[in-house]
Amino acid sequence: MSRLDKSCLNGMSPNSSLYKKPFSESFEETPLLVAVLTYMGYGILTIFGYFRDFLRHWNIEKCHIAHEREQQKDFVPLYQDFENFYTRNLYMRIRDNWNRPICSVPGAKVDLVERVTHNYNWTFEHTGKVVKDVINMGSYNYLGFAENAGACASAAIETTHAYGVGVASTRCEIGNLDIHEELEQLVARFLGVESSMAFGMGFATNSMNIPALTGKGCLILSDELNHASLVLGARLSGSTIRVFKHNNMQSLEKLLRDAIAHGQPRTHRPWKKILIVVEGIYSMEGSIVRLPEVIALKKRYKAYLYLDEAHSIGALGPNGRGVVDYFGLDPKDVDIMMGTFTKSFGAAGGYIGGRKELIDYLRCHSHSALYATSMSPPVAQQIISSMKIIMGEDGSTLGKDRLRQLSENTTYFRRKLREMGFIIYGNDDSPVVPLMLYMPAKIGAFGREMLKRNIGTVVVGFPATPIIESRARFCVSAAHTREMLDTVSLVNLQTPQNFNQWEFSRFLVFSCCILKCELNLCPNKQVN
């Protein structure tokens, strides 16, 4: 058992004195036999891919891929043919698991438009039929605010009548509405910071604001599993980028020490700025950032901290205020607080929160602020309404109830899967639940078989994950009922021999012992 497995199973952190409660995460190592078989599976697929390319070259197999025209053969090619090899020979085999069109509100259940393919997933045709009441385990609808009825929807409709749908201008020109000002003041109050700024797109909140904060002569220390928007923003900034191992504080501290001791390459001048970039919840791993330790290192080495709370805001903490609230920390210890409204708030866009000087600077220097169209008024109203419900300012306990329900559903679903012996990644309190599949053939099989059982989920493989760590990702919501979670975990996964042979956790016996203690079960009673 690796050091990481041990510390995670014991719920301990290498620096547990900084934590007010146990910090429990699980990342079981890939079994050696499974890793070997997975590599063999990709190898076989690659061999068959080259063979099919040979058949396509000689017109033995019909070629559906884009290629240069004959009259353009002397031109510089638009793309290298090998770059498309993975897409046409591996991804295309299981393409039917993605981009499924839905025709309903993406709530706890969704309706899917049925489609078929007659050429092995190269193209699809709609049959005109609708698959009703598919349990939605793929949307980031953590608090269940993705709905077309209720207080939020009614307020958004009223705002549409008052303001219309679009603004047709940027914030700095004639697109700054009073509802935008109200939203930003509310977000600042919700986060516990001096000021905030809202943006119309979550991805652009990262990719367009990081270049405004750092540049040449600055150093960005980025977690190896950071989101693509953070990676793009760091690259666009022109800063030097160094990557530390995921949630590994020893790796981060080593980079900080080296940065201070050696300075910039060649000149050895001190870095103008050192920015640590982390996420609250990592959406592929289900892990939670070790924020108390990151803040301690940030203070010790005088660095700045950029925290992306896209998945954690609204989903963590007793008050739904994200990972800072979850650990009971002071928001002022985080220099740049970023988050999105696309998950827990059922809306669109993102925000940056922090000191007033920071926000005033971004209003003048952020490309997202200067060149992007203002947020749609009904979207802004959806955020305001849902945030006030979470804060309890609507005069009800609906927000508290949803936060509690999400926490209970997360604990219940994770426990059920572990009882059955599946390998689950991530933190015990994370509503993102990755179930490990490993082998490439299981990616497509899992997604298809779950849909046959009226369950919609997300399956993920290389290059979005390491090549031997393909997985299914469940997103738990407060809108899910206990019966829905039982349907997913018990009815469809209790008998895996029906459609797949899963890898079971080597720590099943150990986990069951812990479970029996927690549930105060009889020593002779077995956990099924």
Side-chain angles (χ1 to χ4, degrees):
M1 191 186 299
S2 69
R3 177 192 61 77
L4 180 59
D5 290 330
K6 287 181 180 178
S7 65
C8 290
L9 284 170
N10 292 331
M12 298 297 291
S13 168
N15 195 355
S16 57
S17 61
L18 295 173
Y19 295 83
K20 299 178 181 178
K21 60 180 179 179
F23 186 80
S24 178
E25 289 189 341
S26 176
F27 296 95
E28 186 172 329
E29 289 182 318
T30 305
L32 179 60
L33 177 61
V34 174
V36 171
L37 292 175
T38 302
Y39 280 122
M40 287 178 59
Y42 277 105
I44 292 170
L45 286 171
T46 302
I47 292 171
F48 272 90
Y50 279 115
F51 178 66
R52 295 185 70 183
D53 278 354
F54 172 80
L55 296 179
R56 293 180 188 123
H57 178 74
W58 293 102
N59 295 321
I60 300 172
E61 178 181 328
K62 187 175 180 181
C63 183
H64 296 278
I65 59 175
H67 54 84
E68 307 290 349
R69 294 179 179 180
E70 184 64 25
Q71 56 266 38
Q72 293 178 314
K73 62 182 181 180
D74 295 327
F75 288 26
V76 176
L78 292 175
Y79 66 92
Q80 296 296 322
D81 187 59
F82 181 76
E83 294 175 0
N84 203 27
F85 178 86
Y86 184 89
T87 301
R88 66 177 178 264
N89 290 306
L90 280 78
Y91 166 74
M92 201 59 63
R93 290 174 177 266
I94 54 176
R95 183 176 170 230
D96 55 301
N97 284 282
W98 294 281
N99 306 314
R100 290 171 177 152
I102 69 171
C103 54
S104 68
V105 175
K109 290 186 177 182
V110 295
D111 297 338
L112 295 182
V113 177
E114 187 180 72
R115 59 181 185 173
V116 294
T117 178
H118 303 291
N119 53 10
Y120 302 100
N121 295 334
W122 285 97
T123 60
F124 294 96
E125 295 178 7
H126 295 164
T127 64
K129 298 179 181 178
V130 174
V131 183
K132 293 281 189 179
D133 295 329
V134 176
I135 298 176
N136 182 7
M137 298 298 296
S139 296
Y140 310 125
N141 184 27
Y142 298 130
L143 293 180
F145 283 115
E147 50 195 0
N148 59 358
C152 294
S154 298
I157 292 171
E158 291 178 9
T159 301
T160 304
H161 289 313
Y163 293 91
V165 175
V167 180
S169 181
T170 63
R171 289 285 300 275
C172 61
E173 292 172 337
I174 200 170
N176 189 31
L177 305 180
D178 56 349
I179 197 170
H180 296 138
E181 300 279 351
E182 180 187 355
L183 170 62
E184 291 175 345
Q185 292 170 12
L186 182 64
V187 170
R189 191 153 48 85
F190 180 65
L191 297 175
V193 296
E194 292 180 9
S195 185
S196 76
M197 185 174 184
F199 303 89
M201 181 181 179
F203 191 98
T205 305
N206 279 330
S207 60
M208 294 290 100
N209 281 299
I210 292 178
L213 296 170
T214 63
K216 189 175 181 181
C218 298
L219 174 66
I220 293 177
L221 302 180
S222 177
D223 189 290
E224 64 178 345
L225 297 182
N226 274 342
H227 190 263
S229 60
L230 294 169
V231 174
L232 178 60
R235 290 174 177 173
L236 290 175
S237 71
S239 305
T240 300
I241 305 169
R242 290 176 185 165
V243 178
F244 61 92
K245 294 178 182 178
H246 175 55
N247 245 354
N248 189 313
M249 297 303 106
Q250 289 81 13
S251 175
L252 174 58
E253 184 168 19
K254 184 179 184 303
L255 289 179
L256 284 167
R257 279 174 150 177
D258 290 346
I260 291 172
H262 302 296
Q264 299 183 41
R266 293 189 298 274
T267 65
H268 299 292
R269 292 176 180 173
W271 295 100
K272 295 178 180 177
K273 195 183 301 177
I274 299 177
L275 182 67
I276 303 170
V277 181
V278 294
E279 293 186 47
I281 292 179
Y282 291 84
S283 60
M284 284 297 170
E285 308 299 312
S287 54
I288 297 176
V289 64
R290 297 179 181 274
L291 191 60
E293 296 177 68
V294 175
I295 288 177
L297 289 175
K298 167 231 167 188
K299 290 181 176 179
R300 184 182 308 164
Y301 293 99
K302 304 296 187 292
Y304 293 95
L305 176 58
Y306 187 108
L307 174 63
D308 178 348
E309 293 221 69
H311 287 267
S312 53
I313 192 70
L316 285 182
N319 302 299
R321 296 178 182 178
V323 70
V324 176
D325 186 31
Y326 174 78
F327 287 112
L329 302 172
D330 187 350
K332 294 187 174 110
D333 288 335
V334 179
D335 301 288
I336 303 111
M337 298 184 73
M338 178 271 171
T340 64
F341 303 120
T342 53
K343 282 84 175 175
S344 296
F345 304 97
Y351 67 82
I352 295 279
R355 298 181 61 185
K356 188 176 183 301
E357 293 86 350
L358 167 70
I359 304 304
D360 290 344
Y361 173 83
L362 288 177
R363 290 190 195 280
C364 298
H365 294 84
S366 168
H367 285 77
S368 242
L370 295 172
Y371 302 113
T373 302
S374 301
M375 181 183 289
S376 174
V379 172
Q381 184 58 57
Q382 166 72 20
I383 301 165
I384 292 171
S385 301
S386 57
M387 192 172 290
K388 284 184 176 179
I389 291 174
I390 296 172
M391 297 170 72
E393 294 187 2
D394 64 328
S396 73
T397 61
L398 181 59
K400 286 286 185 184
D401 293 341
R402 293 198 183 196
L403 290 168
R404 185 184 66 253
Q405 189 63 52
L406 175 61
S407 178
E408 290 176 358
N409 285 353
T410 298
T411 302
Y412 178 79
F413 188 64
R414 280 183 169 272
R415 189 181 73 226
K416 281 292 182 183
L417 294 182
R418 282 208 179 93
E419 283 179 19
M420 298 164 66
F422 294 108
I423 299 176
I424 305 299
Y425 271 13
N427 192 285
D428 288 348
D429 295 325
S430 170
V432 178
V433 186
L435 184 151
M436 304 310 293
L437 303 177
Y438 297 112
M439 301 180 192
K442 292 182 180 178
I443 301 173
F446 187 90
R448 292 168 189 144
E449 293 297 331
M450 292 295 276
L451 186 58
K452 286 180 183 178
R453 291 156 173 79
N454 251 36
I455 299 169
T457 188
V458 174
V459 287
V460 191
F462 179 80
T465 68
I467 195 167
I468 59 171
E469 292 185 8
S470 299
R471 64 199 68 180
R473 184 185 63 183
F474 299 103
C475 291
V476 181
S477 169
H480 289 138
T481 63
R482 191 62 58 91
E483 291 74 24
M484 292 178 188
L485 298 178
D486 283 341
T487 299
V488 176
S489 61
L490 298 178
V491 176
N492 296 290
L493 298 179
Q494 199 168 32
T495 54
Q497 64 270 20
N498 287 346
F499 55 94
N500 273 309
Q501 295 296 320
W502 306 117
E503 273 59 59
F504 292 99
S505 174
R506 293 171 290 161
F507 308 132
L508 174 58
V509 176
F510 179 78
S511 300
C512 288
C513 292
I514 294 177
L515 201 61
K516 288 177 182 178
C517 295
E518 290 179 348
L519 301 177
N520 197 23
L521 295 176
C522 173
N524 296 323
K525 185 175 180 180
Q526 294 184 353
V527 179
N528 296 319

